[in-house]
Structure formats: structure tokens, C-alpha cells
């Protein structure tokens, strides 16, 4: 029996109160399909996770060290994909920290050896002639331990799927820069996780970007199909369909991420004409074997 089934069977008669904390978490088959429920009930502590399976001493120490220093959270969905008895589970190792994460190396303090222009407090970064990266907010739903975003101090973020995004002043700077640099033909939406924003906010972001006539293409960097495929709703698919050309870059690192829920979300997107591409981070002891990459 996997973790998800164990959680659901144990708590099948209980429904979640809207702001209930994870320590009192109640799962049901109905709320499992609600993406905002997963956001409200992120797991962030040793106690949260050990309701479902035991952690090693090293993992416990690392999670405790993370508190208030680095970003760490899991969705119930991502937790459900972990092998509770396997320390080297590729799902587990991508998201649960270890002590070596806190060892500083000289390159941690290094600077990029290329010329980068940025505006709007660094939210828009222009480092390639024809494209720029726009970070719409700083929050992720699961923090990959290999990603620099896990090293950014966590913000005081509570209360569901409402994430701070660019201010009106930021948008003025971003749009002014794009208008004055018509060589920028592609905007890469990054974050944080762009698709954690609600539908209304995404529509506004896409509308503002598309108002710049020299921008031809959107590229949306996301791990939402891996971490929270429930977010791919028919409404979201229609929004993405309406702003084509817009590519989703899925960032898949292991074949075990491609569950039935992942594939159902991918099918919704591709049938609507939303192109999917992917990139993979080569990770030691997770996907650095030939057969693992072949499976992926």
C-alpha cells in the first residue's frame, strides 16, 4: 500500500477545515484533486512528515536546520510518491534536505562571468540578446534541494495559494524596458513556480506581456506537473491556449515523476495545443545512470 492510499483509508471519513494545519491533516478522495488544498497543507516540519513515514536521523537534523534559514516544503501529492522504506528514493532525495546542503563552498559566493542587465529590483533579467527572464514571484510549492531558490530565505507566507507578485511600479519598469529593447522576442516566466498564481493573476500577467508587440513567445518554466498536477485544470488550459505561442518547460528529472496524474495533465495540455518540452538536471545518485536516463 502506498502512502497516499494509507492516508486516505486512515482518514476517509474526515474532511479538511479550510485553514487546518498539517499536524491535524485530514485527507479524503475529494480534496485530493483540489490543487489549492495541497498548497494550504504543505508539509514543512519533521512532525508533519513523520505522521506518514519515519525519517532518518540525518534527515531530521537537516530539516530542523532548514527552519528559518532555507526554504523547505512538500505537497501531500509529492510525499505520496516517496518510497517510505528507501532512503535513496529519487523522489525523496530531490526534496528532503541532507546535512551536506549546509556546507559552503567557494563558488557559492561567486558572480556570473557574463554581463547581465536587470530591472524592477532584479525581477526582469536580460542576459541573452533576444530573451529575458521574468520572475513573477519567489515561492515554490516544493523546493528542489539542488535549486538556488531553496537557498533564498523564506518569506512570511501563510494562508493558501496567494503569492506576492510584481508591484505596479515593477510592472511599469518591466514594460518600459521591454518596449525600449525590441530585440527581446521571448520572455521566460520563472519564479518561484509561475503556475502557483491563481487564474486571474496569470491572465493579467500574460496580457501585460503580450501588450509588448516585439515579444513573440512565452516560455514558462514549471515543475507543476511533477509536484502538483492537480493545478492543470480546464480553466488553466484555456488560459494557456489563449496566449499561444507559449511553451511549458516541465523540468522532469526522473521517470517516477510521470505518474497517471502527470500524464492526465499532460494530455489535457497537448490536446489543447499547448506545446510541452522538458529539461533535466543531472543529479548524483538520482538520475546519473544510463538506464535511469533511458527510462526517462
Amino acid at each position: 500500500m502506498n502512502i497516499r492510499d494509507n492516508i486516505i483509508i486512515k482518514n476517509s471519513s474526515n474532511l479538511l477545515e479550510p485553514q487546518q494545519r498539517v499536524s491535524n491533516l485530514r485527507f479524503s478522495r475529494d480534496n485530493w484533486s483540489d490543487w489549492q488544498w495541497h498548497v494550504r497543507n504543505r508539509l514543512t516540519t519533521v512532525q508533519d512528515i513523520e505522521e506518514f513515514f519515519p525519517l532518518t536521523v540525518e534527515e531530521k537534523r537537516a530539516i530542523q536546520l532548514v527552519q528559518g534559514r532555507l526554504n523547505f516544503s512538500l505537497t501531500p501529492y509529492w510525499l505520496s510518491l516517496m518510497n517510505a522504506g528507501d532512503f535513496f528514493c529519487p523522489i525523496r532525495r530531490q526534496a528532503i534536505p541532507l546535512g551536506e546542503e549546509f556546507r559552503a563552498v567557494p563558488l557559492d559566493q561567486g558572480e556570473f562571468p557574463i554581463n547581465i542587465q536587470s530591472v524592477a529590483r532584479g525581477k526582469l533579467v536580460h542576459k541573452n540578446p533576444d530573451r529575458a527572464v521574468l520572475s513573477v514571484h519567489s515561492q515554490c510549492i516544493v523546493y528542489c534541494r539542488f535549486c538556488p531558490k531553496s537557498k533564498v530565505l523564506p518569506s512570511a507566507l501563510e494562508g493558501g495559494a496567494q503569492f506576492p507578485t510584481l508591484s505596479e511600479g515593477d510592472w511599469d519598469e518591466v514594460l518600459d524596458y521591454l518596449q525600449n529593447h525590441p530585440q527581446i522576442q521571448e520572455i521566460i516566466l520563472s519564479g518561484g513556480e509561475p503556475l502557483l498564481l491563481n487564474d486571474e493573476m496569470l491572465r493579467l500577467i500574460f496580457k501585460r506581456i503580450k501588450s509588448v508587440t516585439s515579444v513573440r513567445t512565452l516560455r514558462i518554466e514549471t515543475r507543476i506537473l511533477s509536484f502538483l498536477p492537480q493545478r492543470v485544470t480546464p480553466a488553466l488550459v484555456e488560459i494557456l491556449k489563449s496566449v499561444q505561442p507559449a511553451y511549458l518547460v516541465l523540468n522532469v528529472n526522473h521517470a517516477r515523476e510521470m505518474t497517471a496524474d502527470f500524464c492526465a495533465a499532460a494530455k489535457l495540455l497537448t490536446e489543447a495545443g499547448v506545446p510541452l518540452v522538458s529539461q533535466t538536471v543531472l543529479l548524483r545518485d538520482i538520475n546519473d545512470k544510463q538506464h535511469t536516463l533511458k527510462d526517462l
Side-chain angles (χ1 to χ4, degrees):
M1 181 182 296
N2 64 33
I3 295 169
R4 172 186 170 182
D5 288 342
N6 182 53
I7 291 167
I8 292 174
I9 290 170
K10 183 171 67 174
N11 299 303
S12 59
S13 63
N14 297 297
L15 297 177
L16 178 73
E17 294 300 323
Q19 296 301 325
Q20 199 170 12
R21 286 303 301 144
V22 169
S23 58
N24 297 313
L25 191 60
R26 296 295 180 265
F27 292 72
S28 78
R29 296 188 187 277
D30 292 334
N31 57 35
W32 192 263
S33 63
D34 179 356
W35 72 273
Q36 295 201 47
W37 177 87
H38 285 267
V39 174
R40 291 194 299 268
N41 291 282
R42 292 163 295 161
L43 297 96
T44 60
T45 68
V46 169
Q47 292 74 21
D48 292 342
I49 298 170
E50 286 205 316
E51 285 192 30
F52 308 113
F53 66 82
L55 296 164
T56 67
V57 171
E58 183 180 4
E59 288 172 324
K60 290 181 186 178
R61 287 175 178 168
I63 292 171
Q64 289 163 351
L65 280 172
V66 161
Q67 305 301 319
R69 298 174 61 187
L70 304 175
N71 282 308
F72 169 71
S73 69
L74 306 174
T75 55
Y77 171 80
W78 189 251
L79 182 80
S80 77
L81 305 185
M82 295 182 187
N83 185 335
D86 182 8
F87 176 80
F88 296 101
C89 165
I91 303 298
R92 183 170 179 163
R93 287 281 58 86
Q94 288 187 65
I96 295 181
L98 297 176
E100 63 191 80
E101 186 171 330
F102 301 90
R103 298 174 193 156
V105 296
L107 290 177
D108 285 345
Q109 305 302 319
E111 296 182 356
F112 289 106
I114 55 177
N115 182 33
I116 295 177
Q117 299 182 63
S118 66
V119 296
R121 299 177 294 154
K123 299 296 179 65
L124 181 73
V125 177
H126 184 196
K127 63 179 181 179
N128 299 103
D130 62 345
R131 64 178 63 92
V133 179
L134 179 62
S135 297
V136 291
H137 65 89
S138 61
Q139 302 299 318
C140 291
I141 187 64
V142 176
Y143 290 92
C144 302
R145 304 325 303 171
F146 55 83
C147 178
K149 291 295 182 182
S150 69
K151 309 301 185 287
V152 178
L153 286 176
S155 63
L157 178 68
E158 294 295 338
Q162 299 302 316
F163 295 84
T165 185
L166 284 77
S167 68
E168 289 302 315
D170 291 334
W171 273 113
D172 289 342
E173 290 187 49
V174 166
L175 296 177
D176 183 66
Y177 187 88
L178 294 177
Q179 295 284 4
N180 288 296
H181 293 79
Q183 71 270 31
I184 298 175
Q185 298 184 10
E186 181 179 66
I187 294 295
I188 303 169
L189 281 188
S190 183
E193 170 55 67
L195 297 184
L196 279 182
L197 296 170
N198 62 39
D199 293 349
E200 181 180 353
M201 183 62 72
L202 287 172
R203 283 194 191 94
L204 179 60
I205 289 171
F206 294 148
K207 181 180 179 180
R208 284 174 162 170
I209 294 172
K210 289 288 187 177
S211 72
V212 182
T213 57
S214 54
V215 174
R216 297 181 180 179
T217 307
L218 290 176
R219 185 177 359 148
I220 303 168
E221 298 279 346
T222 181
R223 291 212 74 191
I224 209 75
L225 271 75
S226 293
F227 292 152
L228 192 63
Q230 296 86 349
R231 176 65 185 100
V232 182
T233 62
L236 176 62
V237 171
E238 284 302 311
I239 292 171
L240 294 171
K241 182 179 178 180
S242 71
V243 295
Q244 291 302 310
Y247 294 81
L248 289 192
V249 184
L250 302 185
N251 295 278
V252 184
N253 295 325
H254 197 279
R256 282 181 56 178
E257 299 175 33
M258 301 176 71
T259 64
D261 291 326
F262 179 112
C263 293
K267 183 179 180 182
L268 276 178
L269 291 161
T270 55
E271 288 184 344
V274 179
L276 307 181
V277 297
S278 185
Q279 59 189 26
T280 297
V281 180
L282 188 64
L283 300 168
R284 187 183 66 188
D285 298 329
I286 292 175
N287 63 8
D288 60 345
K289 302 295 187 293
Q290 183 178 354
H291 67 87
T292 307
L293 289 173
K294 183 179 178 180
D295 289 344
L296 176 58

